[in-house]
Amino acid sequence: MSENPVFSRIRDDISENSVVLFMKGSPVFPQCGFSAAVVEILSRMGVKFKGIDVLSDPDLRQGIKEFSDWPTIPQLYVHGEFVGGCDIIREMYENGELTSYLQEKGVETAA
Amino acid sequence: MAVSRRARIEASLTAAFHPDRLEIVDESARHAGHAGSRPEGETHFRVEIVAPAFAGLSRVQRQRLIHQALAEEFAASLHALSLKALAPDEDRQA
């Protein structure tokens, strides 16, 4: 079976950008509460990230779910590694784990 | 009447994990009118589950196990699932 063609695009995005959020809508205009919650956390932490709107591309919207083996959006990647969706990011933020994780990965935060 | 999604989620998770504690809250009403919601509801759920199967696993691994157990529901338009999966010794809020 040949690979889903959208996978190579995803791979490029997550290798060329240290922090990538696959989300619904844009960081300025999130179209979903769960995506908005993660944008809010990253912004509050002063983390620079690339937001990629899956609603603008049906192939990507389906493809990212297969690529990550994860059925929901948003999805956060740091240096090519899948970190989690909204629940996981929120939990890691609340207990301080997200800050140490990002520092470990060499991602700049304001905190 | 068809079995509710909530009941199916409960049955699937119980069979897969034999949880010590399982709480399922239908939050669809809070998302009414939002993309992904349906007039008949049952699209947005919050689940808190405590089971020995999660011990020693990362958050991502735990949620993947739950996603797998509920794959049919995601295929049938379950839109959002908010998850908290704990091992029994982590369940201090009980």
Side-chain angles (χ1 to χ4, degrees):
Chain A
M1 207 178 85
S2 66
E3 187 186 86
N4 186 332
V6 85
F7 283 10
S8 67
R9 237 179 68 207
I10 294 172
R11 234 176 255 123
D12 288 346
D13 277 322
I14 63 174
S15 62
E16 286 163 12
N17 303 279
S18 46
V19 183
V20 181
L21 182 64
F22 293 91
M23 60 179 291
K24 292 181 177 173
S26 69
V28 179
F29 292 109
Q31 303 278 329
C32 154
F34 301 102
S35 291
V38 177
V39 167
E40 164 80 22
I41 288 171
L42 294 175
S43 306
R44 221 182 287 163
M45 295 179 76
V47 173
K48 286 205 187 87
F49 66 97
K50 179 176 183 182
I52 297 178
D53 180 8
V54 303
L55 295 179
S56 63
D57 183 341
D59 290 340
L60 177 63
R61 184 175 182 176
Q62 190 48 42
I64 188 64
K65 294 178 182 178
E66 291 168 21
F67 182 84
S68 308
D69 185 21
W70 199 261
T72 52
I73 310 290
Q75 298 184 9
L76 183 71
Y77 275 85
V78 175
H79 286 302
E81 183 177 82
F82 176 63
V83 187
C86 182
D87 296 322
I88 290 179
I89 303 307
R90 194 152 27 190
E91 206 178 308
M92 288 175 77
Y93 174 67
E94 282 166 3
N95 68 15
E97 222 176 294
L98 191 56
T99 307
S100 46
Y101 173 80
L102 290 171
Q103 279 167 357
E104 235 168 71
K105 292 278 177 180
V107 174
E108 253 183 77
T109 62
Chain B
M1 213 184 96
V3 177
S4 72
R5 164 132 40 213
R6 185 206 167 87
R8 291 199 306 268
I9 290 176
E10 185 170 6
S12 300
L13 293 179
T14 301
F17 303 108
H18 308 289
D20 294 0
R21 195 162 67 79
L22 176 59
E23 203 178 317
I24 302 170
V25 181
D26 183 348
E27 298 189 324
S28 305
R30 281 177 50 189
H31 299 271
H34 152 90
S37 73
R38 301 189 158 211
E40 63 272 30
E42 298 223 281
T43 51
H44 293 68
F45 285 86
R46 182 163 58 81
V47 169
E48 198 164 321
I49 179 169
V50 179
F54 301 127
L57 298 183
S58 72
R59 291 191 179 85
V60 169
Q61 288 170 326
R62 292 173 189 199
Q63 292 208 11
R64 280 210 174 104
L65 287 180
I66 295 170
H67 294 153
Q68 281 160 17
L70 298 177
E72 281 178 27
E73 302 301 333
F74 279 105
S77 81
L78 171 59
H79 180 72
L81 184 66
S82 185
L83 287 174
K84 189 164 194 177
L86 301 171
D89 64 344
E90 299 163 341
D91 185 26
R92 298 202 182 87
Q93 286 141 319

